[in-house]
Amino acid sequence: MLRPTRREFLKTAAVLGGGLALGDALALPRAALAQDPMALSVARWDPAALATADLAAAAGRLTEAAIAGLGGMGRFVSKGDVVWVKPNIGWNRAPALAADTNPDVVGALVRLCYEAGAKTVKVGDNPCHPARHCYATSGIAAAAEAQGAQVVFLDDRRFRDLKLGGERLDSWPLYPEIVEADLVINVPIAKHHGLTDVSLGMKNLMGVAGGQRSAWHQQMADCLCDVTAFLRPRLVVLDAVRVLTAHGPTGGDPADVTLVGTVAAGTDLVAIDALGATLLGHQPAAIASLGAAAARGLGTLDFRSLPQVERTLS
Amino acid sequence: MTVRARARRLIWTRRAVQTGALLLFLVLVVANRPTSGEGPTGPVSLFFDLDPLALAATWLATRTLAGLALLGLVTLAVTAVLGRWFCGWFCPLGTLHNAVGSLRGGWRRLTPRSEGSSRWQRAKYYLLIALLLMAIGGVHWIGVFDPFSLLYRSLALTVLPACDVALSEVANAVYLGDPQLGPLHLRDLTEPIDRWWQARVAGSELRVFTGAGVILLVFAAALGANLVRNRFWCRYVCPLGALLGFAAVRPLLRLRSRTDACNSCGRCTLRCPAAAQPEKPDQWLATECFGCWNCVAACGNEGLDFRWTLPWRATSRGSVDLGKRRSLAALAAGAVAVALMRITPAAHGKTFHPLLIRPPGARAEREFLQRCIQCGLCLQTCPTGGLQPTWHEAGLEGVWTPMLVPAIGYCEFECHACGQVCPTQAIRPLALAEKKQVRIGLAVIDTSRCLPYAHGRECIVCEEHCPIPDKAITFERRESVQRDASVRTLKFPRVDPDRCTGCGICETKCPFQDVAAIRVTSAGEDRHPANQPLLGGRAGAGTD
């Protein structure tokens, strides 16, 4: 068992007794990940053409371009894989209000996964508002189902305490079906957040957690680092097609939404979040969770130092 | 075709109609479970629209027909012609009573004496009189006894949640245990069923209701009484049946009997669910008869049949003989009930129950209670499960009326379903944009529990969830001296009373699960000019 999959880890962990072995076992994929080229791919819509663009089509094409810039979905998806696409579906808000991930970004990712040979693509989140309302209003359920994805509503009772072995969270209930997936694609939307200033990829991972997760607010940076270190998503796609600049994470006023027309993809969550923070007008190092993540070696804040592919579409 | 054969065929037709109506009732209950913010589509309040009792009592209570469905008049008109066929052929609660009553014959010896009519059947008329007088006095207690309210409330708040719980517990146990039958995983069977139920029947996360036990007990008692007397509820209690009885004094379709054919065998009496005296040729009780045709089919000599008959040619007298004294006593009882329910400080605006947070669009309390028929449609359609039945919070007068309990669930910003489904417009059908402006209460922060204030920790989960587009909860950065004398800058939440609508999501999501550190009370609710702590109401609340 040189490179066991996450599912094999969980099985091993179960055999060894209630997930206690997970913390050690996870050292393996970390090492494996370090060998990945930490590339960053940014697709932008020509700013001059943005105001008149068909945003739904543009979001899909930007997503394709961003993934193509990383070398294509085939780099991440093997034939027969089960993929979990994890957008932000936290709020019962329409796409134009930019509180949830753009549905067309999600739809495009589902399609790319199937084209790369995925067996099943699941889409789901643990929302703050009633799940069925969020999934429908955000447009994500319809967009994902149109591409053949299995839209999953998380069941409160199926969260399982997993050993994170983090600095703040020793264990926490996470959703096994997500953790077991062969690939988790973390698809946050870039937006403002009252407590943490920004809500990006690390914050989006809260949707894998159950339990009394609002308590994370008391030490958000450490908690986000712990769950990031545990999950280590191999592919992050940042939706900055529309960006919520104030009164996040819920928003609701179209005046707080700015059209940016950008989708970024990468393998380093911290770098992607640093890029997102910059887009939102912040110094990455000034964001507590990002500073802590960089200090713990979870990724780099200096996203410009990574091999970068940039494409401009129109 | 012989009279009996025709009667048997009609009985099977009746059973089909009854089953169909019961299924329709169930389908409409399920259709009213939460879907999206626009609220359920379809005639989810159909049965209540057809209910002349709800119409009459609400009209008496409010002295207006504004906002009421007038279909109940159709029911009355049909009853005037056909008699109480509504009870025998349509009422879904009556159908359930039939089903339970059919269990009875087996274990108890029935005699014409035990099954025959009784003076106690008049009780339902006295109850109706008392309830209508209460309605005139503004106490709308119809919903406690109305058969549709009783059935809807019982199904929506107790039976369906019990099914939800049972099914999901089984499915979850199978999922986690993963039992196998040979190569077959049992979960491959249960998971799709569970997903279907969640999507099509449950429609939301599990919602359960406080006080469901009492509602279930009343329902069980109403059904169980069939074991004492067939259709006990319909014979002795149902005020809707009583109202229809008044309408059925001179129906055109009447039971006719050939006296020469009767050998007094009593089979018609035994089979009569309504104790309408089919055995007494000239004393058949049109006001009690459900038109079920059981007696016609039961008579071996084909001595009974329903015939179209002009009222002046009727041989049996039709009237509801209640007696002046007893009727006056019923009126007096209604008046006393009004008085008893009104001698409370809350009924006179002296106190406002802080937890009595009514759904958005609910009318001022007095007017609200004059319309609410305790049916449970709003509770059933609330997507967060925050709308709960009252027990004592609105007084005895307002038992089983809706109130928001933010500790359980909040009022979803993008939803106005409760007002869309209310059959009597006790909750007004506001447009979504209008509903977002309505304040149902006001959030206040308990600084003795709130984490930054009391414990020097970061939090502002309330601010995060506040759905008002420019946030009714804001924060200010302040320094907080920690135990080790170090100083941390924390965000301290504040409620902007001009913007807060009292939706309660802050209370629902507060990390304190027992008693939240931010709580909504009814203070400042738009419905009551007297329940206003702030100068001049508010400006620019909840702008969209």
Side-chain angles (χ1 to χ4, degrees):
Chain A
M1 208 166 77
L2 276 176
R3 272 193 67 175
T5 66
R6 213 160 273 273
R7 182 177 302 162
E8 285 162 343
F9 278 127
L10 284 180
K11 283 186 178 158
T12 316
V15 170
L16 295 180
L20 283 171
L22 268 174
D24 297 337
L26 277 165
L28 271 172
R30 249 177 235 179
L33 275 166
Q35 293 155 14
D36 276 347
M38 290 291 191
L40 189 63
S41 165
V42 182
R44 290 195 180 85
W45 203 262
D46 178 9
L50 196 54
T52 55
D54 169 6
L55 270 194
R61 283 185 54 206
L62 286 167
T63 309
E64 287 165 19
I67 295 294
L70 281 186
M73 195 60 95
R75 203 183 129 193
F76 303 96
V77 175
S78 309
K79 200 164 161 43
D81 273 359
V82 174
V83 181
W84 190 289
V85 176
K86 164 63 185 77
N88 186 334
I89 330 178
W91 313 95
N92 185 19
R93 292 282 185 275
L97 296 173
D100 300 309
T101 302
N102 189 307
D104 299 298
V105 171
V106 177
L109 287 172
V110 172
R111 186 165 44 77
L112 292 172
C113 288
Y114 277 122
E115 284 170 6
K119 182 177 76 178
T120 311
V121 182
K122 300 177 182 181
V123 176
D125 190 14
N126 186 19
C128 298
H129 286 159
R132 276 167 209 283
H133 287 58
C134 296
Y135 280 40
T137 311
S138 66
I140 289 175
E145 268 164 2
Q147 300 300 333
Q150 184 186 327
V151 171
V152 182
F153 293 96
L154 308 196
D155 183 330
D156 273 350
R157 298 159 312 180
R158 295 189 185 166
F159 287 92
R160 284 290 164 266
D161 261 329
L162 296 183
K163 179 89 177 166
L164 308 189
E167 290 180 10
R168 184 65 190 81
L169 305 176
D170 185 44
S171 74
W172 197 268
L174 301 184
Y175 209 67
E177 203 178 337
I178 303 180
V179 182
E180 280 176 25
D182 298 308
L183 172 69
V184 177
I185 308 182
N186 183 8
V187 199
I189 180 169
K191 58 177 176 171
H192 168 259
H193 191 282
L195 177 69
T196 56
D197 295 324
V198 297
S199 172
L200 295 158
M202 287 175 70
K203 182 78 172 60
N204 193 39
L205 293 179
M206 271 185 96
V208 180
Q212 177 69 19
R213 58 187 172 151
S214 62
W216 289 15
H217 275 230
Q218 293 159 43
Q219 255 172 284
M220 186 63 94
D222 295 331
C223 293
L224 290 184
C225 285
D226 287 347
V227 77
T228 300
F230 177 76
L231 289 169
R232 292 300 288 238
R234 279 160 51 210
L235 177 57
V236 188
V237 180
L238 176 70
D239 158 30
V241 179
R242 296 185 191 90
V243 161
L244 179 63
T245 56
H247 302 120
T250 50
D253 186 349
D256 292 333
V257 178
T258 303
L259 211 50
V260 173
T262 297
V263 173
T267 52
D268 180 341
L269 174 55
V270 180
I272 289 276
D273 277 10
L275 182 150
T278 311
L279 275 177
L280 289 164
H282 293 274
Q283 286 293 331
I287 306 297
S289 53
L290 284 179
R296 281 172 61 170
L298 297 174
T300 176
L301 293 182
D302 186 11
F303 62 93
R304 292 184 182 88
S305 69
L306 297 177
Q308 214 171 121
V309 183
E310 290 199 38
R311 297 181 182 200
T312 303
L313 311 184
S314 62
Chain B
M1 196 188 311
T2 65
V3 170
R4 286 186 82 189
R6 188 161 54 100
R8 281 200 204 99
R9 212 173 61 178
L10 273 167
I11 287 170
W12 279 109
T13 311
R14 166 172 61 77
R15 287 176 183 152
V17 172
Q18 282 183 290
T19 310
L22 178 61
L23 285 178
L24 179 64
F25 195 91
L26 269 173
V27 165
L28 292 181
V29 174
V30 170
N32 189 30
R33 303 193 107 187
T35 46
S36 73
E38 279 309 301
T41 49
V44 289
S45 64
L46 176 70
F47 283 81
F48 297 94
D49 297 342
L50 285 168
D51 182 347
L53 180 64
L55 173 65
T58 312
W59 173 62
L60 287 175
T62 60
R63 319 280 204 285
T64 171
L65 291 172
L68 298 177
L70 300 178
L71 278 178
L73 296 176
V74 175
T75 307
L76 281 181
V78 170
T79 306
V81 175
L82 296 179
R84 283 172 60 186
W85 280 47
F86 185 88
C87 306
W89 286 62
F90 186 70
C91 178
L93 185 60
T95 304
L96 283 182
H97 287 316
N98 272 1
V100 178
S102 68
L103 304 173
R104 173 164 173 257
W107 60 272
R108 181 182 264 218
R109 200 176 127 72
L110 310 179
T111 66
R113 187 177 157 73
S114 75
E115 300 310 289
S117 70
S118 135
R119 292 186 310 164
W120 284 99
Q121 282 163 247
R122 287 185 282 183
K124 60 180 175 293
Y125 296 98
Y126 300 129
L127 178 62
L128 173 69
I129 289 170
L131 287 173
L132 291 182
L133 186 98
M134 287 166 72
I136 291 171
V139 176
H140 201 21
W141 242 43
I142 283 299
V144 174
F145 293 97
D146 180 90
F148 293 160
S149 284
L150 171 72
L151 181 59
Y152 203 103
R153 188 168 59 226
S154 305
L155 291 179
L157 307 191
T158 69
V159 177
L160 271 175
C163 294
D164 293 338
V165 170
L167 187 76
S168 77
E169 288 294 331
V170 170
N172 198 48
V174 171
Y175 177 85
L176 295 177
D178 193 16
Q180 295 174 33
L181 294 169
L184 182 78
H185 288 261
L186 205 52
R187 61 154 77 152
D188 294 337
L189 182 70
T190 54
E191 283 298 285
I193 296 174
D194 188 43
R195 273 202 295 273
W196 176 84
W197 182 275
Q198 299 280 339
R200 301 285 160 203
V201 185
S204 69
E205 284 107 64
L206 180 67
R207 295 171 310 150
V208 285
F209 298 91
T210 50
V214 178
I215 293 168
L216 188 62
L217 273 181
V218 171
F219 187 49
L223 290 182
N226 289 292
L227 300 177
V228 178
R229 283 282 182 283
N230 203 4
R231 295 194 64 159
F232 184 102
W233 170 271
C234 317
R235 282 189 196 191
Y236 305 115
V237 185
C238 184
L240 175 56
L243 182 67
L244 296 176
F246 279 122
V249 171
R250 302 252 188 293
L252 301 186
L253 194 62
R254 305 182 66 90
L255 188 69
R256 302 268 287 275
S257 48
R258 290 190 292 122
T259 38
D260 57 324
C262 180
N263 59 2
S264 303
C265 70
R267 276 157 74 184
C268 56
T269 311
L270 287 181
R271 297 289 314 281
C272 178
Q277 298 192 160
E279 74 280 7
K280 297 182 180 166
D282 293 327
Q283 291 171 40
W284 168 67
L285 300 172
T287 54
E288 299 295 303
C289 176
F290 300 157
C292 72
W293 291 75
N294 281 358
C295 56
V296 181
C299 184
N301 295 335
E302 305 210 328
L304 294 169
D305 196 10
F306 279 95
R307 296 277 176 78
W308 295 104
T309 312
L310 294 169
W312 56 87
R313 301 189 59 180
T315 52
S316 57
R317 277 183 49 217
S319 71
V320 183
D321 183 17
L322 299 177
K324 287 199 191 73
R325 261 185 242 174
R326 288 200 178 84
S327 303
L328 280 173
L331 286 171
V336 169
V338 172
L340 283 178
M341 291 187 193
R342 282 288 161 76
I343 49 170
T344 65
H348 295 276
K350 306 276 187 205
T351 59
F352 292 90
H353 199 298
L355 301 183
L356 188 62
I357 304 164
R358 294 293 193 190
R363 294 167 190 262
E365 187 64 10
R366 178 67 67 93
E367 214 186 320
F368 176 82
L369 291 177
Q370 286 168 355
R371 283 179 178 264
C372 178
I373 54 171
Q374 296 117 310
C375 61
L377 261 87
C378 55
L379 309 176
Q380 174 71 338
T381 207
C382 177
T384 67
L387 271 191
Q388 294 278 329
T390 54
W391 183 232
H392 61 85
E393 294 82 357
L396 194 54
E397 189 180 354
V399 67
W400 294 331
T401 55
M403 71 172 191
L404 186 76
V405 182
I408 299 174
Y410 54 94
C411 180
E412 165 56 39
F413 188 64
E414 298 286 346
C415 174
H416 60 154
C418 51
Q420 308 299 309
V421 301
C422 178
T424 56
Q425 294 196 2
I427 311 169
R428 288 171 295 138
L430 302 179
L432 184 57
E434 207 181 345
K435 174 260 165 182
K436 289 179 179 176
Q437 306 288 325
V438 174
R439 172 190 278 169
I440 57 178
L442 176 65
V444 289
I445 292 171
D446 181 347
T447 54
S448 69
R449 290 175 82 85
C450 180
L451 291 174
Y453 290 97
H455 301 293
R457 289 178 173 225
E458 199 73 276
C459 184
I460 64 163
V461 171
C462 50
E463 186 270 352
E464 177 187 38
H465 284 86
C466 178
I468 306 301
D470 58 352
K471 298 280 182 195
I473 300 177
T474 54
F475 55 81
E476 56 180 315
R477 289 185 177 81
R478 276 202 253 150
E479 290 186 340
S480 168
V481 181
Q482 305 285 303
R483 178 178 170 155
D484 61 4
S486 66
V487 175
R488 273 184 81 184
T489 302
L490 299 177
K491 290 166 176 165
F492 289 75
R494 274 173 88 148
V495 177
D496 178 350
D498 286 336
R499 286 187 170 71
C500 177
T501 59
C503 77
I505 194 172
C506 49
E507 182 175 340
T508 309
K509 303 288 182 178
C510 176
F512 281 97
Q513 295 292 302
D514 55 345
V515 178
I518 182 165
R519 296 188 292 277
V520 175
T521 69
S522 63
E525 55 179 342
D526 286 338
R527 306 188 303 148
H528 289 302
N531 192 15
Q532 301 296 334
L534 299 165
L535 175 64
R538 67 218 172 97
T543 49
D544 186 12

